[in-house]
Amino acid sequence: MSTSLLLVDDDRTFSSLAASMLSQEGFRVRVARSLHETRAALAAEAPDLVVLDRRLPDGDGLVFLPELRAQLPATVVLMVTAHGDIESAVEAIRAGARDYLSKPVEIDDLVMRARRAASDLQLQERLRQAESVLEGQHRMAEPRSPAMQQTLEMLERIATTPRSPVLLLGETGTGKAVLARHLHALRQKQGAFVQINCAALPDTMMESELFGHERGAFTDAKTARRGLVELASDGLLFLDEVGELPFALQAKLLTFLDKGAFRRLGGTTELTSTARIVAATNKDLEAEVAAGRFREDLLFRLSVFRVEVPPLRERREDVLPLARTLVLELCSELGRRPVPFSPAAEERLLSYPFPGNVRELRNVLERALVLEGGPALELQSLAKGGGAPASVDPNAFSVSGPPRPLDEVERLYVRHVLEQLGGRRMEAARVLGLSYPTFLRRLEENPPSE
């Protein structure tokens, strides 16, 4: 959908030429040559963007600006002021104009600023759409376990400090992104929640994605672009998998954390943002520092608030409430009525260790909702010998005999993974999502029984 633009200027030659050039750029342009025509145009259709001249036959555009902003708060306004009239330009910005242009207006400059404003509007719209989609998903189920209650209480205290960095640590799939969104929701009237996975983009794109770039910064940079740090100003920027951030970019992130200042790629102007940085990782960052892959000073700066997210097996009281919440979300996505759990399914949920944490729980439930057609979910995939596999996986992990304590099952699974990986302890720790010291401690504290 093209951006609608209202050009308010009584100079017929300029307005005709500007309208023609803007239309060629893809804008849907209407022209008004007085405040009377402007009010009529606004009543007929709310534009995305208004280019507003100050000197008009029936009034002052700057005096009209507050009326326009009150009527259409989401519309972006570019104010046109007389050459050298800095006082009017400052007053226009204070009154809500996004930008200003000085007369005589260069058509190329007008087109460039309009294009930049349109790009910002499109980004904001995508963020709003993403927010509305995610708003109904991944809500926090009220925790019952002391470990998770303590985590949420800590986040509530952290929310009172608007810019201090937060580092979320925990195994893969524990719901670190959900907690970051919960922290954002604890503060009212703030900017957007913006998320990026540091492992999902090539190193060459990360700096531009985070900090933006200026026109001509690289071959395909045909226009300037704001980065996520700018888009998240007054809000929260969630850096998932921060341990994968390129080493060369870590220094720039450290500078931003220290000063709130940054430069776009290819730019010379220092910009500022009040975005709060929340980072998450399942890596042992101390080990990454020792290996020279992560800056120690950045780790210290990120760790102003360090929050350990407990794995699902350590908060068994939360499994059933969480499962019921996830089923409601999934049924909504799949367009079907909510389905209860059978008593057998609840027992299976409570006895399964969920090495993949909340993410694995969600996958199990989604699979059951699609494949099981009964009035209640049985979760046969969690049952011992459940389903009808074509063959038995020789590498499968199983525990025979009478029920055992959970910590013993956990020890057996750790040793099973270690055996499958040929005794390679570092690799086993990585696969299990444990730091190496934690992995060794699990082995030492729980020696195999004879």
Side-chain angles (χ1 to χ4, degrees):
M1 182 176 178
S2 58
T3 302
S4 61
L5 183 148
L6 178 62
L7 177 61
V8 184
D9 197 298
D10 64 335
D11 186 331
R12 291 181 177 273
T13 301
F14 170 76
S15 59
S16 297
L17 180 58
S20 175
M21 292 294 291
L22 288 165
S23 296
Q24 292 177 30
E25 289 290 324
F27 290 92
R28 291 187 295 110
V29 183
R30 291 178 297 156
V31 177
R33 296 189 170 93
S34 67
L35 290 181
H36 175 73
E37 291 183 13
T38 300
R39 290 187 176 96
L42 295 177
E45 180 186 355
D48 300 312
L49 178 62
V50 173
V51 179
L52 178 62
D53 192 8
R54 178 170 184 184
R55 306 299 181 189
L56 295 166
D58 55 350
D60 188 335
L62 186 55
V63 175
F64 173 68
L65 179 57
E67 178 186 333
L68 171 59
R69 295 292 298 148
Q71 182 181 348
L72 301 172
T75 294
V76 174
V77 180
L78 304 182
M79 194 77 201
V80 178
T81 64
H83 176 68
D85 190 359
I86 300 300
E87 185 178 346
S88 293
V90 172
E91 189 176 347
I93 297 297
R94 286 176 176 169
R98 170 73 64 86
D99 203 349
Y100 70 92
L101 302 96
S102 296
K103 287 191 170 182
V105 176
E106 296 288 339
I107 299 293
D108 288 345
D109 188 32
L110 171 60
V111 170
M112 184 270 291
R113 291 173 190 253
R115 197 162 49 198
R116 181 187 298 167
S119 177
D120 289 349
L121 283 169
Q122 291 166 3
L123 282 171
Q124 289 167 7
E125 179 60 27
R126 288 200 293 270
L127 283 171
R128 279 194 293 269
Q129 291 174 357
E131 284 286 315
S132 64
V133 170
L134 290 170
E135 212 168 80
Q137 300 178 1
H138 310 303
R139 291 194 180 98
M140 287 292 302
E142 191 67 31
R144 297 181 182 178
S145 65
M148 203 60 186
Q149 287 175 354
Q150 184 177 359
T151 297
L152 293 190
E153 288 170 4
M154 185 174 183
L155 289 180
E156 289 173 3
R157 292 194 295 271
I158 292 171
T160 62
T161 61
R163 250 208 107 232
S164 301
V166 180
L167 181 60
L168 301 174
L169 300 172
E171 298 176 11
T172 297
T174 51
K176 296 185 286 293
V178 178
L179 288 174
R181 182 170 291 278
H182 179 70
L183 175 61
H184 176 258
L186 288 172
R187 287 183 57 81
Q188 301 298 318
K189 296 181 180 179
Q190 61 172 325
F193 177 92
V194 182
Q195 178 174 349
I196 183 173
N197 189 318
C198 299
L201 290 174
D203 291 1
T204 53
M205 293 179 59
M206 275 299 300
E207 182 173 1
S208 171
E209 194 72 17
L210 280 177
F211 298 105
H213 61 255
E214 298 292 350
R215 182 179 180 180
F218 48 87
T219 304
D220 294 327
K222 297 179 181 178
T223 60
R225 181 186 179 191
R226 299 168 71 196
L228 299 182
V229 164
E230 285 183 79
L231 292 174
S233 191
D234 296 327
L236 187 151
L237 176 57
F238 178 51
L239 303 179
D240 200 7
E241 304 290 355
V242 72
E244 304 294 339
L245 194 68
F247 192 83
L249 192 54
Q250 292 175 22
K252 191 164 185 176
L253 176 60
L254 178 63
T255 298
F256 173 70
L257 289 170
D258 284 338
K259 300 169 55 181
F262 64 96
R263 288 187 177 91
R264 292 177 182 168
L265 183 62
T268 57
T269 304
E270 188 170 75
L271 305 172
T272 60
S273 169
T274 56
R276 167 180 234 154
I277 299 297
V278 175
T281 183
N282 63 348
K283 282 192 168 185
D284 183 344
L285 291 185
E286 282 82 4
E288 292 296 297
V289 169
R293 291 187 292 266
F294 202 84
R295 293 180 63 106
E296 186 175 31
D297 47 4
L298 177 58
L299 174 58
F300 290 150
R301 193 70 184 90
L302 287 172
S303 301
V304 172
F305 293 108
R306 192 178 181 118
V307 180
E308 297 279 352
V309 184
L312 192 55
R313 63 183 173 274
E314 293 180 7
R315 46 188 178 107
R316 307 298 301 179
E317 305 95 322
D318 295 335
V319 172
L320 286 180
L322 184 57
R324 294 187 182 108
T325 299
L326 290 173
V327 163
L328 290 176
E329 290 179 8
L330 289 166
C331 285
S332 177
E333 291 177 14
L334 296 171
R336 61 175 294 181
R337 299 173 67 179
V339 186
F341 294 113
S342 71
E346 292 187 354
E347 290 181 10
R348 289 163 186 156
L349 285 169
L350 292 173
S351 61
Y352 185 70
F354 287 106
N357 293 295
V358 180
R359 185 175 296 135
E360 183 183 8
L361 172 60
R362 184 183 179 87
N363 292 343
V364 166
L365 297 174
E366 184 173 1
R367 182 165 61 247
L369 284 168
V370 173
L371 298 180
E372 296 183 9
L377 292 179
E378 297 291 341
L379 304 184
Q380 291 291 343
S381 62
L382 298 183
K384 181 181 177 182
S391 60
V392 178
D393 183 359
N395 296 320
F397 171 70
S398 63
V399 179
S400 59
R404 305 189 184 200
L406 183 60
D407 58 350
E408 185 178 354
V409 174
E410 199 175 317
R411 169 185 60 80
L412 292 171
Y413 182 69
V414 168
R415 297 190 65 81
H416 169 77
V417 171
L418 183 61
E419 181 179 352
Q420 292 297 313
L421 295 174
R424 297 189 297 275
R425 295 189 170 196
M426 289 289 288
E427 188 174 348
R430 181 184 61 79
V431 169
L432 289 164
L434 301 174
S435 68
Y436 191 58
T438 301
F439 173 80
L440 292 178
R441 189 164 59 250
R442 295 272 171 89
L443 291 178
E444 293 168 357
E445 290 178 356
N446 299 288
S449 55
E450 297 297 325

